[in-house]
Amino acid sequence: MENCFPELTYEVKKTLSSVGLKMRRFMHVPMIAFCTVKSMPTWTLVQNVVCHGTSRTRVRRSEKLIPEKVLWYLPFIPRLKRFYRSAETSENLLWHEKRRMKDGKLRHPADSQAWKKVNYLNPDFAAEPRHLRLGLLADGVNPHRSLSSRHSSWPVFLVMYNLPPWLVMKRKFTMLSLMISGPKQPGHDIDVYLAPLVDDLKELYEDGVDAYDGFKKEVLKLKVVLLLTVSDFPAYSNLSGLSTKGYEEGEVAPLPLSGRQILEEVEKIDFKYGKGKKKRNPNGCFQRKLIFFCLPYWKDLLVRHCLDVMHIEKNVCESIVGTLLDIPGKSKDGLSSRLDLVELGIRHSLAPVDKGKHTYLPPAAFTLSKEEKQAVCNSFAKMKVPDGYSSNVRNLVCMEELKLMGMKSHDCHTLMQQLLPIAIRSVLPKKVRQTLTKVCIFFNQLCGKELEMKKLNSLHDDIVKTLCNLEKYFPPSFFDIMIHLMVHLVREAKLCGPVWAR
């Protein structure tokens, strides 16, 4: 009867602190955020470099000081200890060793090459099956929805891969470790925000902590390794330190650096122009020379970076549907893409035709007539799926404008793997229809619960040939970076295991 939810945040914090689940709050300077070093306390270093005139706070109209950037860190070591205190959870954390089927097929991250590489490089770590393998998931979210379209807050989650497949992604075992406030995304400065988390990971990997095992009724020296990170393509650049966009003018400083070397590098930076010195590019314009300090501990933690398959699948689905139905803003066909064909000197049948004051685009193999668009949209509008299979597909269809609107990631997931081949089976030439169906089959097989190494090799060859066939029918503007990334997904499945865990 007295089990009531606290009315004040202070009472919540007091309750969590009493069970060992505290929260740490950091304020820091965005201008200096890319400086991180192991030999000095990271946040002390950031506060010491504020002498360049950058303030940690800004003033609102009410003259109230608010922090420029805030990081909430929820230490995960006490949570791991509490997980092991539970006999049921502690027993489930041994599932990968005791009850997993070992026949060479990829059903669990324990079957992946990344897991086996950790065992090979550190036999002492592999000797104790209770040691944890973690995955780090990071992406930007907009908590304000349409009220502030540019706001980007970044949560960082940790998942435990020792659990059975039906428990790995459950909310109970998904730990929020960091919350990086908005409104701007951290970008390449994310290495400083990750520094408290990485320090704990280093401690767990090298020294370990004492934890009580509720299943075996004994104290063990718990160790942890960060197996992989999962992110979309833009965040992949921030986490790995690799360039995925823009010019490649970055300089990677030798790591690890001492505190004095870090300060010397900081003093070289012209803060008037941001992060770096101005440099004249070949066109005669001034540009800033990027100076980026990579996170120095990923290599020590044996981390492998992975792409989010559903992010790629969503972009591919939107490109195909937008081009077929000629949806404004989504279609990759138009006058500019046809002019690209003229410049390349290929596929002359698709070149724009000038007739007086008007320019006409000859129909391409993927072009749908109004009747065919109506047939495709009508298929989606009348489609009936089981409850819980996906969101209501009918709500996505606009019969007046003949287009699909408001598709989320899971909508594109079901649309790409199951529904799109059914909707286009009565339209398009046979070769185009078969090529698009092969793309759908590729994602369907890749996202299966069970993968075989031999089939993955043939799946990689098939998607390469399929992309070559797509080049015969779709314009060059259709083939952006997301279309190309499909080639790399099979390799990541071999290295990091089934897609459901990533």
Side-chain angles (χ1 to χ4, degrees):
M1 296 296 295
E2 302 298 329
N3 189 14
C4 301
F5 195 83
E7 296 181 357
L8 300 176
T9 308
Y10 174 73
E11 296 179 5
V12 177
K13 292 181 180 178
K14 213 163 68 166
T15 304
L16 292 176
S17 298
S18 64
V19 295
L21 301 179
K22 298 182 180 180
M23 180 194 71
R24 298 169 62 189
R25 182 172 178 264
F26 297 103
M27 291 168 44
H28 83 118
V29 191
M31 188 71 71
I32 325 293
F34 57 95
C35 302
T36 179
V37 66
K38 179 63 178 175
S39 59
M40 295 177 62
T42 305
W43 301 101
T44 305
L45 173 64
V46 172
Q47 293 172 5
N48 289 341
V49 188
V50 185
C51 57
H52 291 273
T54 307
S55 175
R56 288 194 301 165
T57 59
R58 53 191 171 95
V59 182
R60 278 185 173 173
R61 292 182 180 179
S62 61
E63 297 185 356
K64 179 181 178 182
L65 290 177
I66 59 174
E68 275 281 356
K69 204 77 170 174
V70 179
L71 168 69
W72 286 271
Y73 175 53
L74 288 75
F76 68 98
I77 295 180
R79 283 185 279 177
L80 293 181
K81 291 182 179 180
R82 293 186 67 85
F83 277 128
Y84 269 95
R85 282 179 178 271
S86 170
E88 180 183 359
T89 304
S90 181
E91 184 181 6
N92 286 330
L93 289 171
L94 290 171
W95 182 92
H96 69 96
E97 180 68 23
K98 303 293 184 180
R99 299 161 64 183
R100 176 174 58 92
M101 188 180 298
K102 304 176 184 179
D103 57 357
K105 296 182 180 180
L106 297 177
R107 297 188 182 91
H108 189 269
D111 301 317
S112 65
Q113 296 182 18
W115 189 295
K116 296 175 182 178
K117 182 179 179 180
V118 172
N119 295 343
Y120 174 75
L121 295 178
N122 195 340
D124 295 335
F125 185 91
E128 176 55 74
R130 290 177 290 182
H131 290 165
L132 289 177
R133 271 84 165 179
L134 301 180
L136 184 144
L137 322 173
D139 198 7
V141 297
N142 181 6
H144 305 295
R145 296 189 178 180
S146 59
L147 297 179
S148 178
S149 59
R150 295 186 177 182
H151 190 102
S152 181
S153 297
W154 279 62
V156 178
F157 294 94
L158 291 174
V159 295
M160 297 182 287
Y161 284 143
N162 293 47
L163 292 167
W166 54 89
L167 295 179
V168 170
M169 291 298 177
K170 291 294 183 181
R171 184 179 298 179
K172 177 181 178 181
F173 301 104
T174 302
M175 299 179 289
L176 175 65
S177 59
L178 294 172
M179 187 65 199
I180 307 170
S181 67
K184 295 181 180 179
Q185 62 177 355
H188 285 321
D189 301 337
I190 198 173
D191 51 357
V192 163
Y193 298 102
L194 292 173
L197 174 63
V198 171
D199 289 340
D200 285 350
L201 289 172
K202 288 276 287 183
E203 177 187 354
L204 285 171
Y205 180 67
E206 295 174 352
D207 303 325
V209 294
D210 291 332
Y212 180 75
D213 187 348
F215 175 63
K216 293 189 175 182
K217 309 297 182 181
E218 62 183 17
V219 177
L220 78 148
K221 181 67 73 172
L222 177 62
K223 291 190 176 183
V224 167
V225 65
L226 185 61
L227 195 65
L228 51 89
T229 69
V230 183
S231 60
D232 58 10
F233 193 60
Y236 179 89
S237 172
N238 301 331
L239 290 175
S240 66
L242 301 176
S243 175
T244 58
K245 61 181 178 180
Y247 56 89
E248 297 181 1
E249 291 289 342
E251 290 184 354
V252 179
L255 293 171
L257 299 176
S258 65
R260 177 176 293 181
Q261 289 174 314
I262 282 283
L263 293 175
E264 290 176 356
E265 293 291 337
V266 171
E267 290 174 355
K268 297 178 184 178
I269 299 173
D270 186 4
F271 287 95
K272 182 179 179 181
Y273 297 100
K275 296 182 205 171
K277 299 180 180 180
K278 291 200 302 180
K279 178 184 177 183
R280 189 181 295 274
N281 61 18
N283 299 328
C285 302
F286 281 101
Q287 66 186 19
R288 286 176 298 186
K289 189 175 184 181
L290 300 182
I291 299 178
F292 173 60
F293 296 93
C294 296
L295 196 65
Y297 315 129
W298 285 144
K299 186 176 180 181
D300 296 337
L301 294 174
L302 308 175
V303 180
R304 185 173 294 280
H305 304 281
C306 298
L307 291 170
D308 180 13
V309 176
M310 287 192 70
H311 174 249
I312 300 173
E313 188 179 35
K314 180 178 184 292
N315 284 269
V316 172
C317 180
E318 289 180 344
S319 297
I320 292 177
V321 174
T323 305
L324 292 178
L325 300 179
D326 196 18
I327 300 176
K330 301 293 184 182
S331 177
K332 298 302 179 70
D333 185 33
L335 181 60
S336 59
S337 61
R338 299 296 181 93
L339 292 176
D340 291 340
L341 294 173
V342 175
E343 294 180 2
L344 294 173
I346 59 175
R347 303 176 68 181
H348 301 284
S349 59
L350 299 181
V353 179
D354 295 328
K355 292 185 179 180
K357 298 182 180 180
H358 302 282
T359 302
Y360 296 92
L361 300 180
F366 58 86
T367 304
L368 299 181
S369 63
K370 186 176 180 180
E371 292 76 15
E372 291 175 330
K373 292 180 182 179
Q374 288 177 343
V376 173
C377 292
N378 196 38
S379 299
F380 289 123
K382 294 184 178 181
M383 197 170 289
K384 296 181 180 180
V385 295
D387 186 23
Y389 175 78
S390 68
S391 60
N392 195 346
V393 183
R394 300 179 183 180
N395 295 338
L396 305 176
V397 184
C398 179
M399 292 300 299
E400 291 78 14
E401 301 180 14
L402 298 178
K403 62 181 182 180
L404 302 180
M405 300 183 300
M407 291 190 297
K408 305 297 182 182
S409 293
H410 191 66
D411 298 326
C412 295
H413 179 69
T414 55
L415 197 73
M416 196 70 185
Q417 297 193 17
Q418 304 291 340
L419 307 182
L420 186 61
I422 299 174
I424 65 174
R425 61 184 177 182
S426 62
V427 299
L428 295 174
K430 183 178 180 181
K431 293 182 178 180
V432 182
R433 185 171 65 247
Q434 289 179 346
T435 304
L436 293 179
T437 303
K438 288 181 180 179
V439 176
C440 299
I441 293 174
F442 166 76
F443 281 107
N444 192 6
Q445 294 181 353
L446 185 69
C447 297
K449 295 182 179 179
E450 179 182 298
L451 301 175
E452 295 184 21
M453 296 299 291
K454 294 182 179 179
K455 291 184 178 180
L456 286 177
N457 294 330
S458 61
L459 193 63
H460 176 76
D461 297 337
D462 291 342
I463 191 59
V464 172
K465 296 176 182 178
T466 302
L467 290 178
C468 293
N469 288 330
L470 278 178
E471 292 181 0
K472 300 178 181 178
Y473 312 123
F474 284 79
S477 57
F478 177 83
F479 299 93
D480 54 12
I481 185 63
M482 289 299 162
I483 304 296
H484 166 75
L485 288 177
M486 289 192 292
V487 178
H488 300 278
L489 296 181
V490 175
R491 174 179 172 271
E492 289 193 351
K494 293 179 181 179
L495 296 176
C496 303
V499 170
W500 60 261
R502 297 182 286 111

